[in-house]
Amino acid sequence: MKITTEKLDNIDLEIVLINDNDLKSKNLVDKVLLDKLSFKAEQDELCFLAESSKLYVGYNDDIASSIASSIRFLDGKEFVKNIKLTTNLSDEESIYKITNGAILGVYKFDKYKSKRTNKHIKNLYISSPSQKNFSQTIKKATTIANSTNFTRDIVNMAPDDCYPKVLAKIAKDLAKENNLECNILKQKDIEKENMNALLAVARASRHDSRVIHISHKPKDVKHRVLVIGKGLTYDSGGLSLKPSDFMATMKSDKSGACTVLGILKSVSELNLNVEVHGFIGAVENMIGGDSYKPDDVLKAKNGKTIEVKNTDAEGRLVLADVLDFAQQEISEFDYIIDIATLTGACVVGVGNYTTGIMGHNDELKNKMKECAKNSGEFATPLDFNRFLSKTLKNETADICNISNTRYGGALTAGLFLSEFIKDANKDKWLHLDIAGPAFVEHIWGVNPHGASGAGVRMVVEFIENINKK
Ligand code: BES
Ligand code: ZN
Ligand code: ZN
């Protein structure tokens, strides 16, 4: 779909974006009819006037979601190719949200459908009272939304089509396309790096693991950021096997990794003047005679020993080694941010829509919360405390991979990761638990069923703002 503020020659249908105030206006052409149909212009409310080929859509505080709802309603209808969107909003921020909402809202994953439709909307012409053409705003919103859709496409791939080697190939192809550097560690290389925690998780899989390092390195940068993604191409739980209801959707346990790729795609296409290094641990957690076991003791790359008590708490084991590897490869940086579908507890705590932000630096956590809000995502800080840290203590090894309390699981997982952040970097670190929003089972906002691309928009916003400090 192409989005423009230039008039189109043929228009098949008009979307009219209004709020309850606009609805009261005497100048509103269809006022009488809309009143009769009891249209209230509530958030995401639609009213289709077939005779005049108009679709009214209400908005309150989420313009992107309203646009997504209206586009979803129209996409695939044969006659709708060119749309005019009428709005009396005329500021950059609104145009940005409209563009974002249209591209994220029209996304559909149909790779596995035997019959695919090509009856898609071709052009969206935004008609606003402003004289400006907003081309830069539209371009930026389009780039970020397309990167989010790129992330969604990978997450949505079936686990037998997207295993660690495939994820590495996708990273390599992205690097080639966008002029990024890319280094892939294969099984032997990972062994040489002593990433034994990661390797234990991977052992029962028929697929070898990969550790991916992909980077955007513009010249003369002032800032450097590391983004680390959990890339469990499947999480069966291992010997601590997940019940079947919980296992389905676990192809999405690679979401953090795919978000990292989406971020790299975005920052390179936006030419952001920040050095960004993505690191991904791509692993499959399966069962078999050679599975790692509850009671096993692992020696992580950084030398710490870990007693395994639950093989389903595997993401933290993979990240432990990748976090240490990232800090070894790049020793000087401003921020290190990991992104992971890490715990069901985070979903219990903050719900399906919100990312949990953890770390030791309150200012940084609040900054990320702000970036989430400004970019159209939900995220909230969760605070560590010294009592929770003690719950990872272990009699046998240095630490345990699960805590000794059943509560606060998102935070204790975060605290486990903290054990693998070097002291000098503790204040530069953020952990984003995207277990809730990464995969959508019931459509909400700009998100269709399936992967949402959670984290791409907020982290790109964060990186973009680094130079503005
Ligand atoms: N990948 C899961 C977490 C998850 C749950 C992601 C639901 C998305 C939706 C993770 O590896 C896991 O299984 N965590 C366990 C940890 C527990 C054993 C301490 C969990 O949350 O139950
Ligand atoms: Zn798990
Ligand atoms: Zn997992």
Side-chain angles (χ1 to χ4, degrees):
M1 187 188 349
K2 192 168 169 275
I3 301 181
T4 171
T5 49
E6 276 159 41
K7 274 204 175 92
L8 300 175
D9 293 338
N10 300 308
I11 286 162
D12 303 314
L13 188 135
E14 183 180 0
I15 296 176
V16 188
L17 177 67
I18 61 173
N19 62 12
D20 53 356
N21 241 337
D22 303 326
L23 194 59
K24 285 178 205 138
S25 157
K26 292 205 177 68
N27 302 330
L28 188 68
V29 216
D30 296 306
K31 185 166 172 37
V32 177
L33 192 50
L34 290 170
D35 280 347
K36 268 192 202 158
L37 293 165
S38 5
F39 180 70
K40 300 273 185 306
E42 281 169 7
Q43 179 65 47
D44 299 335
E45 187 184 356
L46 300 176
C47 186
F48 185 40
L49 306 182
E51 275 189 15
S52 55
S53 288
K54 274 191 208 167
L55 175 66
Y56 278 86
V57 57
Y59 75 91
N60 179 356
D61 59 354
D62 193 346
I63 299 168
S65 172
S66 305
I67 299 299
S69 308
S70 56
I71 295 283
R72 264 198 295 265
F73 176 80
L74 297 171
D75 195 49
K77 295 202 181 359
E78 182 97 56
F79 77 102
V80 191
K81 293 275 179 282
N82 298 309
I83 298 179
K84 173 182 179 183
L85 171 80
T86 305
T87 171
N88 52 29
L89 297 163
S90 58
D91 60 300
E92 249 173 56
E93 200 181 317
S94 301
I95 303 298
Y96 187 90
K97 288 175 179 167
I98 289 170
T99 308
N100 231 319
I103 298 176
L104 293 172
V106 82
Y107 174 88
K108 216 177 183 161
F109 183 72
D110 58 4
K111 180 180 154 76
Y112 296 118
K113 294 279 186 196
S114 49
K115 286 198 188 91
R116 286 184 226 169
T117 171
N118 54 4
K119 298 169 198 150
H120 292 303
I121 298 166
K122 296 237 156 32
N123 295 294
L124 179 74
Y125 151 51
I126 305 174
S127 166
S128 95
S130 169
Q131 300 302 312
K132 287 196 235 160
N133 73 11
F134 295 107
S135 63
Q136 284 310 312
T137 306
I138 292 175
K139 195 172 162 206
K140 183 178 148 194
T142 304
T143 302
I144 297 177
N146 282 337
S147 299
T148 308
N149 287 343
F150 168 79
T151 294
R152 289 170 167 182
D153 270 339
I154 314 170
V155 176
N156 282 327
M157 282 171 79
D160 237 26
D161 292 336
C162 186
Y163 41 89
K165 192 174 161 186
V166 176
L167 206 53
K169 169 84 166 62
I170 294 171
K172 264 195 280 184
D173 290 347
L174 171 67
K176 203 163 172 203
E177 181 85 20
N178 283 23
N179 268 320
L180 301 165
E181 279 182 25
C182 188
N183 180 32
I184 311 284
L185 277 72
K186 296 190 178 158
Q187 189 74 18
K188 285 257 148 41
D189 309 309
I190 302 172
E191 284 165 16
K192 263 190 224 144
E193 288 292 342
N194 292 315
M195 300 168 85
N196 305 313
L198 180 152
L199 289 167
V201 174
R203 210 164 59 210
S205 169
R206 71 192 171 98
H207 299 294
D208 274 357
S209 302
R210 293 287 184 272
V211 171
I212 303 164
H213 178 189
I214 178 168
S215 42
H216 164 67
K217 293 165 84 173
K219 288 199 182 85
D220 303 323
V221 291
K222 291 200 189 69
H223 299 283
R224 189 180 283 151
V225 183
L226 315 188
V227 280
I228 324 292
K230 168 177 173 181
L232 263 289
T233 58
Y234 203 69
D235 179 12
S236 69
L239 285 181
S240 314
L241 196 63
K242 283 184 186 295
S244 29
D245 284 357
F246 290 86
M247 201 187 296
T249 74
M250 276 304 137
K251 67 172 184 180
S252 69
D253 216 20
K254 59 184 179 301
S255 294
C258 303
T259 293
V260 165
L261 295 178
I263 292 166
L264 265 296
K265 182 172 162 71
S266 248
V267 297
S268 52
E269 288 169 13
L270 294 170
N271 280 320
L272 292 190
N273 196 27
V274 178
E275 191 170 305
V276 182
H277 292 265
F279 289 90
I280 289 168
V283 176
E284 190 183 54
N285 186 20
M286 298 299 282
I287 54 171
D290 52 355
S291 289
Y292 82 128
K293 299 172 271 295
D295 292 349
D296 272 345
V297 176
L298 314 174
K299 188 167 185 184
K301 176 171 169 59
N302 79 344
K304 287 198 181 170
T305 56
I306 308 164
E307 188 176 33
V308 176
K309 280 289 173 200
N310 190 316
T311 62
D312 197 13
E314 84 302 332
R316 61 195 75 182
L317 298 171
V318 170
L319 283 176
D321 280 347
V322 179
L323 282 167
D324 192 58
F325 177 69
Q327 293 167 95
Q328 166 193 296
E329 295 299 288
I330 312 292
S331 49
E332 295 286 316
F333 53 83
D334 300 281
Y335 304 106
I336 179 165
I337 304 169
D338 74 73
I339 308 163
T341 46
L342 205 61
T343 65
C346 195
V347 195
V348 174
V350 301
N352 267 313
Y353 311 98
T354 306
T355 294
I357 307 171
M358 286 156 261
H360 299 285
N361 180 337
D362 287 340
E363 200 187 321
L364 195 55
K365 282 155 64 188
N366 289 329
K367 180 113 215 312
M368 187 56 85
K369 177 186 165 146
E370 211 42 45
C371 291
K373 192 167 178 221
N374 294 339
S375 69
E377 292 195 53
F378 297 116
T380 190
L382 301 174
D383 292 346
F384 294 147
N385 63 56
R386 65 194 158 90
F387 301 103
L388 281 171
S389 317
K390 289 183 192 150
T391 68
L392 292 165
K393 283 223 164 90
N394 185 254
E395 295 290 333
T396 312
D398 297 341
I399 47 169
C400 185
N401 84 324
I402 55 168
S403 85
N404 63 19
T405 153
R406 62 162 83 212
Y407 303 113
L411 284 160
T412 50
L415 282 164
F416 180 92
L417 297 181
S418 172
E419 295 286 326
F420 301 87
I421 302 292
K422 294 193 160 85
D423 283 342
N425 299 331
K426 290 264 202 259
D427 275 342
K428 301 176 183 172
W429 171 62
L430 280 182
H431 159 55
L432 306 179
D433 193 333
I434 56 169
F439 201 80
V440 176
E441 292 187 82
H442 304 282
I443 291 189
W444 59 276
V446 298
N447 303 304
H449 179 271
S452 71
V456 175
R457 283 176 291 159
M458 79 166 115
V459 176
V460 171
E461 174 85 15
F462 180 89
I463 295 173
E464 211 196 339
N465 279 295
I466 289 178
N467 287 322
K468 292 183 188 157
K469 278 200 308 188

PDB file of all heavy atoms in Angstrom, residues 230 235 237 242 250 253 285 311-315 342, ligand 2:
ATOM      1  N   LYS A 230      16.265 -13.159  22.460  1.00  0.00           N
ATOM      2  CA  LYS A 230      16.025 -14.584  22.724  1.00  0.00           C
ATOM      3  C   LYS A 230      15.437 -15.198  21.457  1.00  0.00           C
ATOM      4  O   LYS A 230      14.362 -14.809  21.014  1.00  0.00           O
ATOM      5  CB  LYS A 230      15.059 -14.754  23.907  1.00  0.00           C
ATOM      6  CG  LYS A 230      14.521 -16.186  24.084  1.00  0.00           C
ATOM      7  CD  LYS A 230      13.624 -16.342  25.315  1.00  0.00           C
ATOM      8  CE  LYS A 230      12.981 -17.733  25.370  1.00  0.00           C
ATOM      9  NZ  LYS A 230      12.082 -17.919  26.526  1.00  0.00           N
ATOM     10  N   ASP A 235      10.013 -23.743  21.808  1.00  0.00           N
ATOM     11  CA  ASP A 235      10.193 -24.040  23.229  1.00  0.00           C
ATOM     12  C   ASP A 235       9.146 -25.056  23.660  1.00  0.00           C
ATOM     13  O   ASP A 235       8.007 -24.701  23.984  1.00  0.00           O
ATOM     14  CB  ASP A 235      10.053 -22.738  24.050  1.00  0.00           C
ATOM     15  CG  ASP A 235      10.220 -22.999  25.547  1.00  0.00           C
ATOM     16  OD1 ASP A 235      10.669 -24.108  25.915  1.00  0.00           O
ATOM     17  OD2 ASP A 235       9.902 -22.083  26.339  1.00  0.00           O
ATOM     18  N   GLY A 237       9.591 -26.795  26.229  1.00  0.00           N
ATOM     19  CA  GLY A 237       9.765 -26.890  27.674  1.00  0.00           C
ATOM     20  C   GLY A 237      10.905 -27.846  28.022  1.00  0.00           C
ATOM     21  O   GLY A 237      11.442 -27.819  29.122  1.00  0.00           O
ATOM     22  N   LYS A 242       6.058 -28.737  28.518  1.00  0.00           N
ATOM     23  CA  LYS A 242       4.882 -27.873  28.662  1.00  0.00           C
ATOM     24  C   LYS A 242       3.614 -28.691  28.415  1.00  0.00           C
ATOM     25  O   LYS A 242       3.607 -29.558  27.535  1.00  0.00           O
ATOM     26  CB  LYS A 242       4.928 -26.752  27.607  1.00  0.00           C
ATOM     27  CG  LYS A 242       5.892 -25.627  27.910  1.00  0.00           C
ATOM     28  CD  LYS A 242       5.790 -24.532  26.857  1.00  0.00           C
ATOM     29  CE  LYS A 242       6.835 -23.458  27.053  1.00  0.00           C
ATOM     30  NZ  LYS A 242       6.686 -22.682  28.285  1.00  0.00           N
ATOM     31  N   MET A 250       4.308 -21.624  20.875  1.00  0.00           N
ATOM     32  CA  MET A 250       5.707 -21.442  21.290  1.00  0.00           C
ATOM     33  C   MET A 250       6.693 -21.296  20.124  1.00  0.00           C
ATOM     34  O   MET A 250       7.889 -21.127  20.339  1.00  0.00           O
ATOM     35  CB  MET A 250       6.158 -22.540  22.248  1.00  0.00           C
ATOM     36  CG  MET A 250       5.760 -22.246  23.690  1.00  0.00           C
ATOM     37  SD  MET A 250       6.397 -20.645  24.253  1.00  0.00           S
ATOM     38  CE  MET A 250       4.979 -20.000  25.121  1.00  0.00           C
ATOM     39  N   ASP A 253       8.468 -18.071  20.544  1.00  0.00           N
ATOM     40  CA  ASP A 253       9.527 -17.853  21.532  1.00  0.00           C
ATOM     41  C   ASP A 253      10.812 -17.306  20.887  1.00  0.00           C
ATOM     42  O   ASP A 253      11.787 -17.019  21.582  1.00  0.00           O
ATOM     43  CB  ASP A 253       9.815 -19.162  22.284  1.00  0.00           C
ATOM     44  CG  ASP A 253      10.152 -18.923  23.754  1.00  0.00           C
ATOM     45  OD1 ASP A 253       9.805 -17.839  24.277  1.00  0.00           O
ATOM     46  OD2 ASP A 253      10.778 -19.803  24.373  1.00  0.00           O
ATOM     47  N   ASN A 285      14.493 -25.808  21.971  1.00  0.00           N
ATOM     48  CA  ASN A 285      14.411 -26.532  23.249  1.00  0.00           C
ATOM     49  C   ASN A 285      13.494 -27.748  23.091  1.00  0.00           C
ATOM     50  O   ASN A 285      12.271 -27.603  23.061  1.00  0.00           O
ATOM     51  CB  ASN A 285      13.868 -25.592  24.339  1.00  0.00           C
ATOM     52  CG  ASN A 285      13.876 -26.219  25.732  1.00  0.00           C
ATOM     53  OD1 ASN A 285      14.596 -27.190  25.984  1.00  0.00           O
ATOM     54  ND2 ASN A 285      13.077 -25.653  26.642  1.00  0.00           N
ATOM     55  N   THR A 311      13.734 -27.227  33.058  1.00  0.00           N
ATOM     56  CA  THR A 311      14.311 -27.041  31.710  1.00  0.00           C
ATOM     57  C   THR A 311      13.468 -26.088  30.863  1.00  0.00           C
ATOM     58  O   THR A 311      13.850 -25.744  29.746  1.00  0.00           O
ATOM     59  CB  THR A 311      14.448 -28.388  30.960  1.00  0.00           C
ATOM     60  OG1 THR A 311      13.134 -28.954  30.801  1.00  0.00           O
ATOM     61  CG2 THR A 311      15.339 -29.358  31.731  1.00  0.00           C
ATOM     62  N   ASP A 312      12.297 -25.710  31.390  1.00  0.00           N
ATOM     63  CA  ASP A 312      11.456 -24.748  30.659  1.00  0.00           C
ATOM     64  C   ASP A 312      11.885 -23.303  30.941  1.00  0.00           C
ATOM     65  O   ASP A 312      11.427 -22.380  30.279  1.00  0.00           O
ATOM     66  CB  ASP A 312       9.986 -24.968  31.034  1.00  0.00           C
ATOM     67  CG  ASP A 312       9.035 -24.319  30.045  1.00  0.00           C
ATOM     68  OD1 ASP A 312       9.501 -23.928  28.953  1.00  0.00           O
ATOM     69  OD2 ASP A 312       7.829 -24.208  30.364  1.00  0.00           O
ATOM     70  N   ALA A 313      12.750 -23.121  31.926  1.00  0.00           N
ATOM     71  CA  ALA A 313      13.317 -21.777  32.150  1.00  0.00           C
ATOM     72  C   ALA A 313      14.619 -21.718  31.353  1.00  0.00           C
ATOM     73  O   ALA A 313      15.711 -21.562  31.907  1.00  0.00           O
ATOM     74  CB  ALA A 313      13.553 -21.545  33.639  1.00  0.00           C
ATOM     75  N   GLU A 314      14.473 -21.912  30.021  1.00  0.00           N
ATOM     76  CA  GLU A 314      15.636 -22.064  29.136  1.00  0.00           C
ATOM     77  C   GLU A 314      16.101 -20.739  28.540  1.00  0.00           C
ATOM     78  O   GLU A 314      17.276 -20.587  28.216  1.00  0.00           O
ATOM     79  CB  GLU A 314      15.309 -23.065  28.015  1.00  0.00           C
ATOM     80  CG  GLU A 314      14.565 -22.482  26.802  1.00  0.00           C
ATOM     81  CD  GLU A 314      13.227 -21.828  27.113  1.00  0.00           C
ATOM     82  OE1 GLU A 314      12.583 -22.225  28.107  1.00  0.00           O
ATOM     83  OE2 GLU A 314      12.818 -20.909  26.385  1.00  0.00           O
ATOM     84  N   GLY A 315      15.160 -19.795  28.399  1.00  0.00           N
ATOM     85  CA  GLY A 315      15.502 -18.528  27.741  1.00  0.00           C
ATOM     86  C   GLY A 315      16.610 -17.809  28.480  1.00  0.00           C
ATOM     87  O   GLY A 315      17.552 -17.282  27.888  1.00  0.00           O
ATOM     88  N   LEU A 342      10.222 -13.995  27.905  1.00  0.00           N
ATOM     89  CA  LEU A 342      10.928 -14.740  28.945  1.00  0.00           C
ATOM     90  C   LEU A 342      10.046 -15.480  29.940  1.00  0.00           C
ATOM     91  O   LEU A 342      10.361 -16.588  30.336  1.00  0.00           O
ATOM     92  CB  LEU A 342      11.910 -13.818  29.683  1.00  0.00           C
ATOM     93  CG  LEU A 342      13.088 -14.553  30.338  1.00  0.00           C
ATOM     94  CD1 LEU A 342      13.938 -15.280  29.312  1.00  0.00           C
ATOM     95  CD2 LEU A 342      13.959 -13.618  31.161  1.00  0.00           C
TER      96      LEU A 342
HETATM   97 ZN    ZN B   2      10.459 -22.261  28.455  1.00  0.00          ZN
END
